[in-house]
């Protein structure tokens, strides 16, 4: 009896799955590999049905002899472990992002004499509707809010990109690339105070008010499903902060990061070039404690951001604050730096992790940008935020187009830098 291997995310079981399972079962003893939640989230969207339930469902389908987990979208690890004679797949993966994965499967099978059998892919129109519905479910506040914590449980290190309106939200939601046999996408979005202010032509000094910040979040939420981390600046007055976190929690935001500054907040990357003051440890700890008290769920996270390195108060001060804020109930620590090298951040992470292995560490590597995500992950970082790259790349592109039109007295020359009209007209998905 030949050993047959079929891999599926199987989040939504439909007729196409049943058909391919029954065909595969005619070829030999069928093992179905179920992609783990982490693997599905990496290449598609967060699964609606948890891994353990998916394993159980698949195991009870007629024709399935064994069910095994598959930890990555690539098959290599499992193929070398189980050495199936046949791998079965729909022929849809010959093109698109799965094509390199298919190539790797063929190569691995060749190494021990296995064979790939592809069945014609049945394009089920119901599936498109089901997939759209899955997105709707994932975008509901109660589902979205908890997803940051869930992702932190599944993945060691999350990659978060800034979004400051619906359009940038769509970019963070939908952009994915194939790299080294993996599909990469962002895990969530950062609603930056710098970018939200800049997009409105305002300085980053807590001038854009709460109502406006909430409106930006709504705009992003309308068109996306991924978890949102809000840059909450100083958090404002404690009495206001308590109301604000309740509002965010109800909306489905997953986390707020507040920084330990007082008075007129200016952007951290100015450092000591402008006058900025750090809050006393006890006051900021109290803000965290009261914020946590106001919440109704354990899903929503309040993350404390330490400005000691930004304001040159030293490593000791940064660490003392970090432990105090964790003690006060902070669900994570963001350590910030404006140095060009990562040295002080690496030192902080080492010292903090020596005493605290659990509390998530967040970094914003805007200036110290040479270290890769994999390297940060090994050091113990849990969330990496790309805080401003979308707006920083959009502005020069728009300015160049404006200058090109002025220079040429017409817009023909600018077209080379522009998206085709047809594409912009169909860029935004419809309401269904
Ligand atoms: C932001 O994105 O607004 C931040 C990060 O707070 S930073 O600009 O680096 O201070
Ligand atoms: Mg900010």
């Amino acid at each position: 009896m030949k050993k047959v291997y079929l891999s599926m995310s199987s989040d939504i079981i439909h007729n196409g799955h049943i058909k391919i399972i029954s065909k595969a079962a005619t070829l030999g003893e069928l093992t179905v590999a179920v992609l783990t939640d982490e693997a599905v989230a990496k290449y598609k969207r967060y699964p609606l049905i948890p891994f353990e339930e998916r394993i159980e469902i698949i195991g009870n389908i007629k024709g399935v002899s064994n069910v095994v987990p598959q930890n990555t979208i690539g098959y290599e690890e499992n193929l070398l472990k189980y050495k199936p004679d046949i791998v079965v797949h729909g022929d849809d993966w010959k093109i698109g992002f799965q094509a390199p994965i298919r190539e790797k499967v063929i190569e691995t099978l060749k190494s021990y004499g296995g064979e790939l059998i592809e069945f014609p892919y049945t394009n089920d129109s119901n599936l498109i509707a089901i997939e759209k519905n899955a997105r709707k479910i994932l975008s509901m506040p109660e589902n979205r809010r908890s997803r940051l914590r869930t992702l932190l449980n599944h993945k060691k290190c999350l990659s978060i990109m800034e979004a400051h309106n619906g359009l940038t939200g769509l970019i963070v939601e939908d952009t994915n690339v194939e790299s080294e046999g993996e599909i990469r996408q962002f895990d969530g979005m950062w609603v930056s105070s710098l970018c939200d202010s800049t997009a409105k032509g305002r300085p980053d000094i807590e001038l854009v008010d709460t109502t406006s910040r909430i409106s930006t979040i709504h705009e992003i939420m309308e068109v996306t499903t991924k978890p949102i981390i809000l840059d909450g600046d100083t958090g404002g007055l404690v009495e206001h902060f308590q109301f604000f976190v309740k509002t965010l929690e109800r909306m489905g935001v997953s986390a707020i990061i507040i920084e330990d500054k007082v008075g007129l907040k200016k952007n951290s990357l100015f450092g000591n070039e402008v006058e900025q003051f750090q809050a006393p440890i006890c006051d900021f700890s109290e803000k965290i404690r009261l914020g946590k008290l106001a919440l109704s769920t354990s899903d929503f996270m309040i993350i404390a951001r330490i400005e000691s390195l930004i304001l040159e108060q030293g490593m000791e001060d940064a660490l003392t604050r970090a432990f105090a804020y964790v003690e006060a109930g902070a669900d994570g620590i963001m350590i910030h730096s404006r140095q060009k090298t990562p040295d002080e951040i690496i030192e902080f992470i080492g010292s903090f992790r020596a005493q605290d292995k659990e509390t998530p560490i967040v970094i914003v590597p805007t200036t110290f940008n040479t270290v890769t995500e994999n390297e940060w992950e090994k050091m113990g970082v849990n969330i990496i935020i790309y805080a401003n790259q979308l707006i920083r790349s959009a502005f020069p592109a728009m300015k160049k187009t404006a200058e090109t039109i002025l220079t040429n007295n017409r817009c023909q020359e600018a077209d080379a830098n522009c998206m085709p009209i047809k594409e912009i007209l169909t860029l935004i998905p419809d309401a269904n």
Side-chain angles (χ1 to χ4, degrees):
M1 190 101 162
K2 293 211 165 174
K3 289 195 280 179
V4 184
Y5 185 95
L6 170 68
S7 162
M8 43 177 60
S9 60
S10 56
D11 187 23
I12 299 166
I13 299 287
H14 56 88
N15 200 21
H17 288 123
I18 304 296
K19 275 190 192 149
I20 200 163
I21 286 176
S22 58
K23 275 195 211 166
T26 63
L27 302 171
E29 189 192 63
L30 177 63
T31 295
V32 175
V34 176
L35 286 173
T36 58
D37 290 344
E38 183 188 341
V40 181
K42 243 182 174 174
Y43 90 99
K44 210 170 161 186
R45 53 163 172 73
Y46 200 77
L48 295 178
I49 302 175
F51 174 69
E52 293 73 21
E53 283 179 38
R54 290 185 286 120
I55 285 261
E56 211 171 312
I57 294 168
I58 296 288
N60 281 294
I61 295 177
K62 203 172 138 201
V64 177
S65 299
N66 314 300
V67 187
V68 296
Q70 185 172 315
N71 296 319
T72 60
I73 187 178
Y75 286 46
E76 213 184 347
E77 184 188 330
N78 272 7
L79 294 190
L80 294 174
K81 185 168 171 189
Y82 300 111
K83 300 257 167 64
D85 302 296
I86 300 169
V87 167
V88 170
H89 202 284
D91 62 2
D92 55 314
W93 71 341
K94 286 185 178 169
I95 49 167
F97 70 88
Q98 292 195 76
I101 292 155
R102 174 179 180 267
E103 288 307 315
K104 192 84 192 148
V105 167
I106 294 172
E107 193 187 310
T108 312
L109 285 169
K110 212 169 157 191
S111 72
Y112 66 87
E115 172 191 11
L116 172 66
I117 296 185
E118 292 168 318
F119 295 127
Y121 182 72
T122 40
N123 206 350
D124 189 342
S125 60
N126 282 337
L127 192 59
I128 299 166
I130 294 170
E131 191 52 46
K132 274 191 174 170
N133 205 34
R135 275 195 170 223
K136 282 185 192 167
I137 295 169
L138 287 172
S139 71
M140 297 312 273
E142 60 278 18
N143 294 329
R144 191 198 287 247
R145 188 198 304 120
S146 59
R147 202 137 352 100
L148 186 68
R149 276 207 195 269
T150 315
L151 281 171
L152 280 168
N153 288 336
H154 286 301
K155 285 179 86 174
K156 285 202 185 108
C157 188
L158 308 182
S159 179
I160 305 289
M161 170 56 95
E162 72 100 346
H164 54 271
N165 57 19
L167 189 63
T168 44
L170 281 174
I171 290 180
V172 184
E173 180 81 13
D174 294 328
T175 305
N176 58 49
V177 296
E178 192 279 327
S179 174
E180 294 163 358
E182 282 202 332
I183 306 301
R184 293 207 186 134
Q185 57 173 320
F186 294 108
D187 297 298
M189 32 207 113
W190 163 246
V191 181
S192 146
S193 67
L194 171 65
C195 301
D196 199 0
S197 309
T198 306
K200 292 171 172 57
R202 294 296 202 193
D204 182 17
I205 52 170
E206 294 187 280
L207 177 63
V208 176
D209 66 17
T210 303
T211 309
S212 181
R213 301 294 311 277
I214 287 174
S215 148
T216 302
I217 300 169
H218 274 309
E219 198 179 312
I220 295 168
M221 283 185 153
E222 283 276 341
V223 292
T224 62
T225 67
K226 289 184 176 174
I228 291 178
I229 303 176
L230 177 72
D231 174 358
D233 291 319
T234 64
L237 293 173
V238 180
E239 294 81 354
H240 295 179
F241 182 60
Q242 283 196 294
F243 283 97
F244 191 38
V245 288
K246 276 160 82 96
T247 306
L248 296 171
E249 182 185 37
R250 201 171 51 243
M251 286 169 72
V253 171
S254 300
I256 185 169
I257 301 187
I258 49 168
E259 58 194 274
D260 55 359
K261 287 206 198 109
V262 277
L264 180 65
K265 188 223 79 151
K266 312 239 176 80
N267 187 275
S268 299
L269 301 176
F270 281 126
N272 282 336
E273 284 166 38
V274 293
E275 205 172 51
Q276 331 200 39
F277 301 100
Q278 218 168 353
I281 295 181
C282 55
D283 291 356
F284 196 69
S285 298
E286 188 64 355
K287 195 180 271 186
I288 295 166
R289 203 181 64 76
L290 291 174
K292 291 290 293 178
L293 268 181
L295 298 171
S296 316
T297 70
S298 55
D299 297 338
F300 188 86
M301 299 172 74
I302 296 180
I303 298 173
R305 162 171 168 174
I306 295 161
E307 293 286 288
S308 307
L309 304 181
I310 291 285
L311 300 175
E312 295 168 22
Q313 296 303 303
M315 191 59 65
E316 251 340 281
D317 185 68
L319 287 163
T320 304
R321 283 172 179 271
F323 295 122
Y325 300 159
V326 172
E327 187 66 34
D331 300 294
I333 291 293
M334 174 182 151
I335 182 68
H336 205 13
S337 163
R338 60 193 166 89
Q339 299 299 318
K340 282 214 157 38
T341 66
D343 303 359
E344 62 179 15
I345 290 284
I346 293 175
E347 188 187 334
F348 176 91
I349 296 164
S351 305
F352 184 75
R353 277 282 171 259
Q355 283 193 54
D356 182 332
K357 304 258 180 290
E358 298 297 324
T359 306
I361 298 180
V362 184
I363 59 163
V364 179
T366 305
T367 54
F368 49 98
N369 54 14
T370 52
V371 182
T372 65
E373 290 185 8
N374 291 342
E375 289 165 339
W376 286 124
E377 179 180 315
K378 283 194 196 113
M379 288 181 228
V381 171
N382 306 93
I383 299 181
I384 298 170
I385 297 177
Y386 299 102
N388 46 47
Q389 284 75 10
L390 291 186
I391 205 158
R392 280 170 59 214
S393 51
F395 186 81
M398 291 193 285
K399 193 151 186 285
K400 186 173 166 208
T401 300
E403 285 166 358
T404 305
I405 293 173
L406 286 178
T407 308
N408 293 286
N409 224 350
R410 62 179 189 185
C411 63
Q412 188 191 29
E413 291 73 11
D415 257 11
N417 304 328
C418 297
M419 186 179 219
I421 288 291
K422 210 167 185 173
E423 256 180 59
I424 192 87
L425 291 176
T426 52
L427 184 70
I428 306 301
D430 61 27
N432 315 308

